[in-house]
């Protein structure tokens, strides 16, 4: 951390050094976004670039209280994002990863450069060796662990309760219709029947479904026919799911 | 023999203060160090070893007898019954320990100074009090666990009257012997404690064998044998202490007055003892309840064997404390040997037990060996962190910082149990052990840090760092070693220390409790348990924060951190309800705007769900930016954006109040009050434009108030933030402009008034400042109006019609109300469900409390009018608008207006109450009372803003009930639309299905608000007619989504689809199944999807 006081138009070497590595960090973050690196790389890089810019701001603009600096940095950051988004909307590319990365990068570099050149560093107190805040860090870790545990528990509970029900669906494919049975839990065996005025036809037998593995069957409905497709548990006469197919439907023509 | 003896860690710690020091042993603060033996001797390790050996000897004898008892039990009873008995005895010991009330510790301290003639009555009174407390606990807790909390696994020991009475009697007896065992240490009758324990253990074994031979087979038999042993051992004590009878004078058998003044003395040590023992005593209960009684039999056996491993390091730490005689320096000196010794013993035991676990468990039987070996290997690992924990407690005891130790051990206890419960949920008893061990490992590392810090300070010759007490010199040590020179300084009271860490951890645990309640609701747990858990979690989050923020002794930094932390935790708690998806009505609307921005890369596209929302895309822009820069999924980016918004509003309120009152403390109180507003927990924390606009509006006020006058850049931030508000939410922008206008008016009216006593220089400065304010506020008013006007002028912005519709319906309802036509029941929604009686009480109490704050607001306005402080005056006037909030609930249309107003009105209320509270003379009890009032206000306002607790929690599907209507069935239908039909199709459905089809199904949903077409008869009219065909043509409808469950009840939120729907208004019966099924028989219509609850029709054939 530099303690040199800038002179306005002639930033000291240490200030320039501070500026340079921050600019490199901002550029790296922007590059990571532009080339579409995964979230686990982009998130820390983007966060680090934003935080380092904020810290530079706080140090060189920081003669106010901590609360004021925090509000300026966090609130100002959100305001800047909104206004930048409006600006990007006017560009042909609109709001995309690349445009965001370039826009935010340019703003961060501008802020860094302006602060380095035009703002003197706030008079820093004599440097003192500060021990690592072990106590607060331990508490913070414990709090984060408990909150993370609560969140993970909720996610697991939510996932285990969001079980997709047994469903029967039809999707036209040319002259035929693909019938699909899906379910979030293992179910079966079922029989798939087509009921028309001509009688009942078995389309598929012993259908068993597992989570993520539906069962599909293709059927071609005779012309000018309206029929029921029924999913019936083996050994039962009562259908549990039922579709209506109508080859006369005007909707077919538009598919 | 009691479990106290078999589980060697569970010896009550309260014996520690009375352990005799070995006479003549040298007390040295430094060891001179000439070889290992000399070092060991010089360090006082010999004394520790003597005391430890004495303890371990007693433990060993009774533990061996305990092992015999459980081995016999395991071989004569089936594992399920042994498991039941294990759980029962563990519960009995825990409750017995709680019931002892710490009176044993008191006796240790009091008996030596009590007249011999009074000793017996004092002991009898304490024993009787403990027995009574234990019996009451033994009756209530198991009964509540079985009958209220649904712990059916405990039914065999507490489900019916006789077992319950037996358990209660056994618990009372346990409390009594715990107190007695500690008392006899001081009476000094030889080895009476050992004699009593050996007698009890032997009788238990005999009783067990006798009962078993008599044909008893149930787990209650084991419990009975245990109780008999304790009961028979009591006459032994009476006989061995009979000599004291001669000294007793004719007084009553017990003397309740003898207990007077003992409470505080006992509480601290007792609570610490309980917090240490509780985990080992509760784990068997958890295994029984969450896994099975069979598994608990094995777990109990493993725990018992592991107890031998835990015993020696534990005894060493006890010896360490006793031998130190209260000298911290001695403790630290000796820890350098006892900690490595304890760790080495534990590690060696681990090495031995790992390969031998199975043969060791064979003494209980083959099934124990097969199923319990893994458990034993895991449990025994706990010995390592226990060494650190025991030494930490010994250090804190000798430092006199038992309250701090209690807070830490209690916090970790809750986390240990929670982790164990989560582990049990996923992987049975093994999972429970892993979860418990994981937390213990963290605990071991965390607790080793204070030990290292203390050692470092000792070596450096400086006392440990403590918080500074007001009025004392900086760096005053509260824990200075006794031999360090000057007389010890009075320690800083615990409540004056910075307790931000423990307080926030406690609040985080509250969030964990809320998560468990939400999960229980989601899993369909019936009864009051999930609701009770949810409210308990809320209290656990809010009350500790309120107490610390309002306590006069709390350090300022902690107050701020806790207030900000409270705001963030309440926002975080929202994720517990729907942790991976948007589920609330407004969230789905804005998720649709976000999806469109992602898809097109452009703003201001048409949002069919609420057209006006896409013209105010500030929230979605920030989310899109966060998402683009981080690569996180939309939902995670949205959650992060909302946390930022919450951080901004709490910091801005803090700053604004601090600016007005010149006190950050008042600011923290203001934040606390603001967080009680009815919309905070649900509406103003959801993914909706107001959630971001409101913080930005408060930020704008802050930027204006703190701008640096006489600088060219002074208005840059206010102008930018005002513009951001204008493109984020229409109504907030409008209100911000109005606020600027009122502010400038107040400056014009009162600004030039000079406070009496001001100097000439001050007057000149003030006039200059007022002139600057006038110009700045006028510029901002014009700027706000201009930007807002520009957003309204964007082609297609339907804001005017949107606001007119709200205004029209509100006016109509108010006019109706004035004519005596009530459109809304006070305590019920449109489906007829409403808050429970206790919730009504909370709600009314909250409204009364907030109404009372109007008096404060009036005083605040009057005072600031006189002092000519325009900003304070403005916020005071805002606070006076509070009646709008409860008043709005009188009619259906204005209820929403009233609710939405809460986020704005409470800004004023917060500043007013923050300033008021800080001007009052504060005492501890008034702080606690105000904290309690704030908690009641918070809980009542949650009911006012979000409805009954049952509806706030996740649970089974409800008709048109916002997030409670989103479930796996309609989500599956929406996801099928995304892949089963072409993107961008025109669909129609009920309120929830329509939203989901747009947000998750990539379809365009027809709504009256966006198309002007009311197609509700398609779903709600009883028969199919030509009008339906005409509607389908007019709307160019492709698909119709029918949720057949609509026929199961009336809508909870006024309508099935949208305002003005077919048959709406005074609907008294649900839509019929015939109406929902009518399209099944219409020629040309195909049914393409059926999941049992929802069906999707292709209606293009009717166009």
């Amino acid at each position: 951390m530099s303690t040199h006081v800038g002179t306005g138009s002639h930033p000291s070497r240490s200030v320039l050094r501070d500026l340079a590595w921050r600019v490199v960090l901002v550029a790296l973050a922007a590059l990571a976004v532009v080339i579409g690196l995964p979230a686990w790389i982009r998130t820390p890089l983007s966060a680090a670039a934003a935080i380092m810019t904020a810290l530079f701001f706080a140090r060189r603009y920081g003669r106010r209280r901590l609360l004021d600096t925090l509000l300026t940095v966090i609130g100002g950051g959100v305001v800047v994002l909104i206004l930048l988004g409006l600006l990007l909307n006017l560009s042909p590319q609109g709001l995309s990863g690349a445009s965001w990365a370039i826009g935010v990068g340019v703003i961060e570099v501008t802020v860094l450069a302006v602060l380095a050149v035009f703002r003197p560093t706030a008079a820093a107190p004599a440097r003192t060796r500060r021990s690592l805040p072990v106590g607060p860090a331990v508490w913070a870790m414990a709090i984060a662990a408990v909150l993370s545990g609560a969140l993970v528990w909720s996610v697991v509970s939510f996932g285990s309760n969001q079980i997709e029900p047994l469903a029967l669906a039809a999707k036209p494919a040319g002259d035929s219709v693909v019938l699909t049975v899906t379910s979030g839990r293992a179910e079966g065996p079922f029989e798939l029947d087509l009921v028309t005025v001509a009688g009942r036809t078995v389309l598929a037998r012993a259908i068993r479904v597992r989570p993520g593995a539906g069962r599909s069957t293709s059927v071609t409905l005779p012309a000018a026919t309206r029929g029921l497709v029924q999913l019936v548990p083996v050994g039962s006469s009562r259908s549990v799911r039922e579709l209506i197919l109508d080859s006369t439907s005007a909707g077919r023509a538009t598919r | 023999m009691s479990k106290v003896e078999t589980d060697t860690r569970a010896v009550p710690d309260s014996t520690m203060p009375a352990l005799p020091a070995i006479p003549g042993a040298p007390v040295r603060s430094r060891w001179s160090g000439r070889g290992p033996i000399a070092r060991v001797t010089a360090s006082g390790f010999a004394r520790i070893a003597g005391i430890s050996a004495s303890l371990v000897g007693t433990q060993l004898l009774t533990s061996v007898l305990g092992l015999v008892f459980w081995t016999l039990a395991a071989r004569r009873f089936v594992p399920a019954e042994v498991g039941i008995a294990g759980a029962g005895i563990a519960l009995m010991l825990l409750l017995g320990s709680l019931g002892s009330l710490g009176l044993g510790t008191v006796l240790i301290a009091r008996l030596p100074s009590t007249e011999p003639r009074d000793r017996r009555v004092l002991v009898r009174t304490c024993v009787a009090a403990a027995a009574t407390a234990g019996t009451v606990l033994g009756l209530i807790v198991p009964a509540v666990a079985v009958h209220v909390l649904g712990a059916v696994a405990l039914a065999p020991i507490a489900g019916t009257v006789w077992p319950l009475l037996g358990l209660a009697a056994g618990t009372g007896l346990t409390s009594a012997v715990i107190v007695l065992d500690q008392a006899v240490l001081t009476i000094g009758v030889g080895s009476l404690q050992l004699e009593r324990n050996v007698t009890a253990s032997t009788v238990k074994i005999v009783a067990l064998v006798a009962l078993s031979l008599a044909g008893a087979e149930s787990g209650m038999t084991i419990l009975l044998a245990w109780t008999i042993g304790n009961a028979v051992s009591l006459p032994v004590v009476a006989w061995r202490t009979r000599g004291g009878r001669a000294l007793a004078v004719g007084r009553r058998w017990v003397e309740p007055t003898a207990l007077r003044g003992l409470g505080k003395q006992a509480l601290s040590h007792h609570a610490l003892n309980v917090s240490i023992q509780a985990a080992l005593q509760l784990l068997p209960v958890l295994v029984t309840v969450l896994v099975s009684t069979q598994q608990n039999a094995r777990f109990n056996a493993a725990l018992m064997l592991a107890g031998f491993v835990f015993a020696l390091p534990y005894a060493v730490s006890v010896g360490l404390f006793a031998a130190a005689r209260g000298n911290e320096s001695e403790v630290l000196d000796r820890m350098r040997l006892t900690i490595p010794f304890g760790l080495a013993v534990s590690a060696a035991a681990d090495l031995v037990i790992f390969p031998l676990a199975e043969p060791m468990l064979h003494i209980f039987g083959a099934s124990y060996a097969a199923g319990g070996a893994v458990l034993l290997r895991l449990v025994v690992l706990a010995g390592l962190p226990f060494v650190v924990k025991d030494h930490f407690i010994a250090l804190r005891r000798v430092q006199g910082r038992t309250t701090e130790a209690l807070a830490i051990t209690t916090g970790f206890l809750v986390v240990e149990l929670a982790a164990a419960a989560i582990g049990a949920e996923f992987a049975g008893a093994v999972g429970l052990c892993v979860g418990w061990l994981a937390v213990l490992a963290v605990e071991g590392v965390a607790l080793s840090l204070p030990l290292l810090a203390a050692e470092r300070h000792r070596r450096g010759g400086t006392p440990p760092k403590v918080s500074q007490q007001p009025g004392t010199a900086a760096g005053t040590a509260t824990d200075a070693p006794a031999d360090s020179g000057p007389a010890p300084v009075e320690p800083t009271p615990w409540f004056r220390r910075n307790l931000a860490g423990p307080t926030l951890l406690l609040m985080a645990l509250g969030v964990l409790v809320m998560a468990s309640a939400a999960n229980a609701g989601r899993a369909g747990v019936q009864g009051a348990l999930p609701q009770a858990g949810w409210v308990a979690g809320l209290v656990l989050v809010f009350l500790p924060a309120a107490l610390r923020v309002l306590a006069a002794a709390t350090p300022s930094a902690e107050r701020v951190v806790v207030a900000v932390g409270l705001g963030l935790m309440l926002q975080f708690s929202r994720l517990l309800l729907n942790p991976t998806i948007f589920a609330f009505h407004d969230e789905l609307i804005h998720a649709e705007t976000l999806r469109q921005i992602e898809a097109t890369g452009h703003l201001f596209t048409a949002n069919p769900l609420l057209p006006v929302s896409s013209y105010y895309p500030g929230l979605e822009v920030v989310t899109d930016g966060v998402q683009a820069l981080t690569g996180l999924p939309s939902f995670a980016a949205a959650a992060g954006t909302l946390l930022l918004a919450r951080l901004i509003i709490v910091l801005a309120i803090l700053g604004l109040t601090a600016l007005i009152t010149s006190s950050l403390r008042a600011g923290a109180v203001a934040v606390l009050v603001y967080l009680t507003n009815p919309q905070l927990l649900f509406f103003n924390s959801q993914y909706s434009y107001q959630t971001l606009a409101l913080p930005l509006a408060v930020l704008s006020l802050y930027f204006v108030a703190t701008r640096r006058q006489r600088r060219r850049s002074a208005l840059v931030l206010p102008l930018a933030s005002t513009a951001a508000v204008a493109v984020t939410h229409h109504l907030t922008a409008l209100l911000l402009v109005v606020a600027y206008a009122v502010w400038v008016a107040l400056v014009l009216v009162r600004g030039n008034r000079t406070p009496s006593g001001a100097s000439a220089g001050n007057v000149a400065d003030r006039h200059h400042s007022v002139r600057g304010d006038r110009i700045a506020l006028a510029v901002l008013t014009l700027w706000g109006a201009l930007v807002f006007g520009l957003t309204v002028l964007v082609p297609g912005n339907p804001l005017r019609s949107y606001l007119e519709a709200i205004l029209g319906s509100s006016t109509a309802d108010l006019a109706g109300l004035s004519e005596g036509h009530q459109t809304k029941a006070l305590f019920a929604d449109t489906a007829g469900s409403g808050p429970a009686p206790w919730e009504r009480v909370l709600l009314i109490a909250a409204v009364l409390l907030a109404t009372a704050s109007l008096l404060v607001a009036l005083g605040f306005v009057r005072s600031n009018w006189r002092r000519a402080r325009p900003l304070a005056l403005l916020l005071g006037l805002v606070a006076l608008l509070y009646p709008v909030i409860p008043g709005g609930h009188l009619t259906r249309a204005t209820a929403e207006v009233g609710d939405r107003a809460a986020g704005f009105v409470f800004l004023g209320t917060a500043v007013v109450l923050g300033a008021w509270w800080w001007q009052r003379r504060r005492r501890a009890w008034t702080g606690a009372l105000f904290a309690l009032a704030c908690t009641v206000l918070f809980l009542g306002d949650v009911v006012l803003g979000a409805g009954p607790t049952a509806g706030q929690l996740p649970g089974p599907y409800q008709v048109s009930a916002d997030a409670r209507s989103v479930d796996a069935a309609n989500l599956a239908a929406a996801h099928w639309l995304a892949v089963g039909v072409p993107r961008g199709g025109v669909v129609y459905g009920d309120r929830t299905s329509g939203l989901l089809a747009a947000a998750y199904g990539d379809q365009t949903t027809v709504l009256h608000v966006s198309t002007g077409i009311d197609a509700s008869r398609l779903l709600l009219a009883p028969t199919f007619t030509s009008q339906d065909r005409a509607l389908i043509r007019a709307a160019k409808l492709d698909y119709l989504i029918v949720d057949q469950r609509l026929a199961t009840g009336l809508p909870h939120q006024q309508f099935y689809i949208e305002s003005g729907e077919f048959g709406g208004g005074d609907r008294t019966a649900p839509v019929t199944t015939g109406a929902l099924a009518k399209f099944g028989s219409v020629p040309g219509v195909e049914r393409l999807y059926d999941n049992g609850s929802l069906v999707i029709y292709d209606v293009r054939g009717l166009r």
Side-chain angles (χ1 to χ4, degrees), chain B residues 7 31 56 70 90 114 156 205 251 315 324 345 443 495 541 613 639 659 699 772 835 842 878 895 931 982 1024 1085:
Chain B
D7 176 358
W31 49 268
V56 171
W70 282 107
T114 303
I205 293 169
R251 292 177 67 182
V345 168
E443 199 174 341
F495 52 86
V541 172
S613 69
L659 199 73
L699 181 73
L842 272 177
V878 170
F1024 180 78
V1085 172

Short mmCIF file of all heavy atoms in Angstrom, two decimals, chain B residues 7 31 56 70 90 114 156 205 251 315 324 345 443 495 541 613 639 659 699 772 835 842 878 895 931 982 1024 1085:
data_model
loop_
_atom_site.label_atom_id
_atom_site.label_comp_id
_atom_site.label_asym_id
_atom_site.label_seq_id
_atom_site.Cartn_x
_atom_site.Cartn_y
_atom_site.Cartn_z
N ASP B 7 -20.50 -42.53 30.92
CA ASP B 7 -20.00 -41.57 29.94
C ASP B 7 -19.06 -40.65 30.69
O ASP B 7 -19.47 -39.72 31.37
CB ASP B 7 -21.19 -40.79 29.36
CG ASP B 7 -20.71 -39.72 28.43
OD1 ASP B 7 -19.48 -39.58 28.28
OD2 ASP B 7 -21.57 -39.04 27.87
N TRP B 31 8.75 -22.72 34.18
CA TRP B 31 9.60 -23.88 34.45
C TRP B 31 11.02 -23.57 34.00
O TRP B 31 11.25 -22.88 33.01
CB TRP B 31 9.06 -25.14 33.81
CG TRP B 31 8.69 -24.99 32.37
CD1 TRP B 31 7.48 -24.67 31.87
CD2 TRP B 31 9.53 -25.15 31.24
NE1 TRP B 31 7.50 -24.62 30.52
CE2 TRP B 31 8.75 -24.92 30.10
CE3 TRP B 31 10.89 -25.48 31.08
CZ2 TRP B 31 9.27 -24.99 28.82
CZ3 TRP B 31 11.39 -25.56 29.79
CH2 TRP B 31 10.58 -25.31 28.69
N VAL B 56 -9.74 -40.05 37.35
CA VAL B 56 -9.83 -41.15 36.39
C VAL B 56 -10.08 -42.47 37.11
O VAL B 56 -10.84 -43.31 36.64
CB VAL B 56 -8.55 -41.21 35.54
CG1 VAL B 56 -8.51 -42.47 34.69
CG2 VAL B 56 -8.48 -40.01 34.64
N TRP B 70 -24.28 -52.24 30.50
CA TRP B 70 -24.75 -52.13 29.11
C TRP B 70 -24.47 -53.39 28.30
O TRP B 70 -25.21 -53.74 27.39
CB TRP B 70 -24.12 -50.91 28.44
CG TRP B 70 -24.81 -49.65 28.87
CD1 TRP B 70 -24.33 -48.70 29.70
CD2 TRP B 70 -26.14 -49.24 28.52
NE1 TRP B 70 -25.26 -47.71 29.90
CE2 TRP B 70 -26.38 -48.02 29.17
CE3 TRP B 70 -27.15 -49.78 27.74
CZ2 TRP B 70 -27.59 -47.32 29.07
CZ3 TRP B 70 -28.35 -49.08 27.62
CH2 TRP B 70 -28.56 -47.87 28.29
N ALA B 90 -30.28 -41.21 28.15
CA ALA B 90 -29.60 -39.98 27.71
C ALA B 90 -30.48 -38.77 27.98
O ALA B 90 -30.01 -37.74 28.48
CB ALA B 90 -29.27 -40.07 26.23
N THR B 114 -20.86 -22.56 55.74
CA THR B 114 -22.16 -22.68 56.40
C THR B 114 -21.98 -23.33 57.78
O THR B 114 -21.16 -24.23 57.94
CB THR B 114 -23.11 -23.55 55.54
OG1 THR B 114 -23.19 -22.96 54.25
CG2 THR B 114 -24.50 -23.64 56.15
N PRO B 156 -42.45 -45.10 23.12
CA PRO B 156 -42.41 -46.18 24.11
C PRO B 156 -42.01 -45.73 25.51
O PRO B 156 -42.39 -46.35 26.49
CB PRO B 156 -41.36 -47.14 23.53
CG PRO B 156 -41.31 -46.85 22.09
CD PRO B 156 -41.62 -45.39 21.96
N ILE B 205 -26.92 -53.30 38.10
CA ILE B 205 -26.61 -54.56 37.42
C ILE B 205 -27.47 -55.68 37.99
O ILE B 205 -28.10 -56.46 37.25
CB ILE B 205 -25.11 -54.89 37.57
CG1 ILE B 205 -24.28 -53.85 36.81
CG2 ILE B 205 -24.80 -56.29 37.07
CD1 ILE B 205 -22.80 -53.91 37.10
N ARG B 251 -35.08 -27.73 62.99
CA ARG B 251 -35.67 -26.91 61.93
C ARG B 251 -36.44 -27.82 61.01
O ARG B 251 -36.42 -29.04 61.13
CB ARG B 251 -34.57 -26.19 61.14
CG ARG B 251 -33.87 -25.14 61.99
CD ARG B 251 -32.76 -24.51 61.22
NE ARG B 251 -33.27 -23.73 60.08
CZ ARG B 251 -32.47 -23.11 59.23
NH1 ARG B 251 -31.17 -23.19 59.37
NH2 ARG B 251 -32.98 -22.42 58.23
N ALA B 315 -9.93 -35.50 32.14
CA ALA B 315 -9.50 -35.43 33.53
C ALA B 315 -8.27 -34.54 33.66
O ALA B 315 -8.12 -33.81 34.63
CB ALA B 315 -9.20 -36.83 34.04
N ALA B 324 -4.35 -25.13 39.11
CA ALA B 324 -3.90 -23.77 38.82
C ALA B 324 -4.28 -22.78 39.91
O ALA B 324 -3.70 -21.71 40.03
CB ALA B 324 -4.45 -23.30 37.49
N VAL B 345 -2.62 -38.78 23.57
CA VAL B 345 -3.45 -39.88 24.10
C VAL B 345 -4.60 -40.17 23.14
O VAL B 345 -4.90 -41.33 22.81
CB VAL B 345 -3.97 -39.53 25.51
CG1 VAL B 345 -5.05 -40.52 25.94
CG2 VAL B 345 -2.84 -39.54 26.50
N GLU B 443 -14.67 -26.37 15.27
CA GLU B 443 -14.66 -25.87 16.64
C GLU B 443 -13.26 -25.99 17.24
O GLU B 443 -12.76 -25.07 17.90
CB GLU B 443 -15.67 -26.70 17.44
CG GLU B 443 -16.13 -26.08 18.73
CD GLU B 443 -17.23 -26.93 19.36
OE1 GLU B 443 -17.85 -27.75 18.65
OE2 GLU B 443 -17.45 -26.77 20.57
N PHE B 495 -21.28 -7.48 28.66
CA PHE B 495 -22.20 -6.76 27.79
C PHE B 495 -21.59 -5.48 27.23
O PHE B 495 -22.17 -4.85 26.36
CB PHE B 495 -23.52 -6.46 28.52
CG PHE B 495 -23.34 -5.77 29.84
CD1 PHE B 495 -23.23 -4.40 29.91
CD2 PHE B 495 -23.28 -6.51 31.01
CE1 PHE B 495 -23.07 -3.77 31.13
CE2 PHE B 495 -23.11 -5.89 32.23
CZ PHE B 495 -23.00 -4.52 32.30
N VAL B 541 -33.55 -14.30 14.98
CA VAL B 541 -32.81 -13.38 14.12
C VAL B 541 -32.96 -11.94 14.63
O VAL B 541 -32.00 -11.19 14.71
CB VAL B 541 -33.31 -13.47 12.65
CG1 VAL B 541 -32.67 -12.38 11.80
CG2 VAL B 541 -32.98 -14.84 12.06
N SER B 613 -43.95 -2.65 -16.58
CA SER B 613 -42.70 -3.01 -15.89
C SER B 613 -41.50 -2.94 -16.82
O SER B 613 -40.40 -2.60 -16.39
CB SER B 613 -42.81 -4.40 -15.29
OG SER B 613 -42.86 -5.38 -16.29
N ALA B 639 -30.29 -12.68 -6.89
CA ALA B 639 -30.16 -12.72 -5.43
C ALA B 639 -29.04 -11.79 -4.97
O ALA B 639 -29.18 -11.08 -3.96
CB ALA B 639 -29.88 -14.15 -4.99
N LEU B 659 -26.87 11.75 10.05
CA LEU B 659 -26.71 13.14 9.61
C LEU B 659 -27.66 14.07 10.37
O LEU B 659 -27.29 15.17 10.78
CB LEU B 659 -27.00 13.21 8.11
CG LEU B 659 -26.48 14.41 7.37
CD1 LEU B 659 -24.97 14.29 7.20
CD2 LEU B 659 -27.14 14.49 6.01
N LEU B 699 -30.90 6.60 -1.09
CA LEU B 699 -29.52 6.97 -1.41
C LEU B 699 -29.46 8.37 -2.02
O LEU B 699 -28.57 9.16 -1.70
CB LEU B 699 -28.94 5.94 -2.38
CG LEU B 699 -27.49 6.14 -2.79
CD1 LEU B 699 -26.55 5.79 -1.64
CD2 LEU B 699 -27.14 5.28 -4.01
N GLY B 772 -27.77 27.49 -1.16
CA GLY B 772 -27.30 26.33 -1.93
C GLY B 772 -28.35 25.24 -1.96
O GLY B 772 -28.58 24.61 -3.01
N PRO B 835 -55.42 -15.04 9.62
CA PRO B 835 -54.45 -15.30 10.69
C PRO B 835 -55.09 -16.01 11.89
O PRO B 835 -56.29 -15.84 12.17
CB PRO B 835 -53.96 -13.91 11.08
CG PRO B 835 -54.91 -12.94 10.49
CD PRO B 835 -55.62 -13.62 9.37
N LEU B 842 -50.84 -10.34 17.70
CA LEU B 842 -49.57 -9.71 17.31
C LEU B 842 -49.81 -8.55 16.36
O LEU B 842 -49.21 -7.48 16.49
CB LEU B 842 -48.68 -10.74 16.60
CG LEU B 842 -47.76 -11.59 17.46
CD1 LEU B 842 -47.02 -12.59 16.58
CD2 LEU B 842 -46.76 -10.71 18.20
N VAL B 878 -43.42 12.48 6.74
CA VAL B 878 -43.62 11.16 6.13
C VAL B 878 -44.08 10.16 7.20
O VAL B 878 -44.98 9.34 6.96
CB VAL B 878 -42.31 10.68 5.45
CG1 VAL B 878 -42.42 9.23 5.02
CG2 VAL B 878 -41.99 11.55 4.25
N ALA B 895 -55.87 -2.07 -0.14
CA ALA B 895 -54.97 -2.87 0.71
C ALA B 895 -53.57 -2.88 0.11
O ALA B 895 -52.56 -2.72 0.82
CB ALA B 895 -55.50 -4.29 0.84
N ALA B 931 -36.65 -3.23 22.80
CA ALA B 931 -36.28 -4.33 21.89
C ALA B 931 -37.44 -5.31 21.75
O ALA B 931 -37.75 -5.79 20.65
CB ALA B 931 -35.04 -5.05 22.42
N PRO B 982 -43.71 -24.67 -30.20
CA PRO B 982 -42.80 -23.63 -30.69
C PRO B 982 -42.71 -22.44 -29.73
O PRO B 982 -43.70 -22.09 -29.08
CB PRO B 982 -43.43 -23.21 -32.02
CG PRO B 982 -44.28 -24.35 -32.42
CD PRO B 982 -44.78 -24.98 -31.16
N PHE B 1024 -68.96 -24.18 -23.24
CA PHE B 1024 -68.28 -23.60 -24.39
C PHE B 1024 -69.32 -22.95 -25.30
O PHE B 1024 -70.33 -23.58 -25.66
CB PHE B 1024 -67.53 -24.70 -25.15
CG PHE B 1024 -66.80 -24.19 -26.36
CD1 PHE B 1024 -65.59 -23.52 -26.24
CD2 PHE B 1024 -67.33 -24.38 -27.63
CE1 PHE B 1024 -64.92 -23.04 -27.35
CE2 PHE B 1024 -66.67 -23.90 -28.75
CZ PHE B 1024 -65.46 -23.22 -28.61
N VAL B 1085 -60.25 -29.34 -31.04
CA VAL B 1085 -59.32 -29.03 -29.95
C VAL B 1085 -58.57 -30.32 -29.59
O VAL B 1085 -59.17 -31.37 -29.45
CB VAL B 1085 -60.07 -28.50 -28.72
CG1 VAL B 1085 -59.13 -28.36 -27.53
CG2 VAL B 1085 -60.71 -27.17 -29.04
#
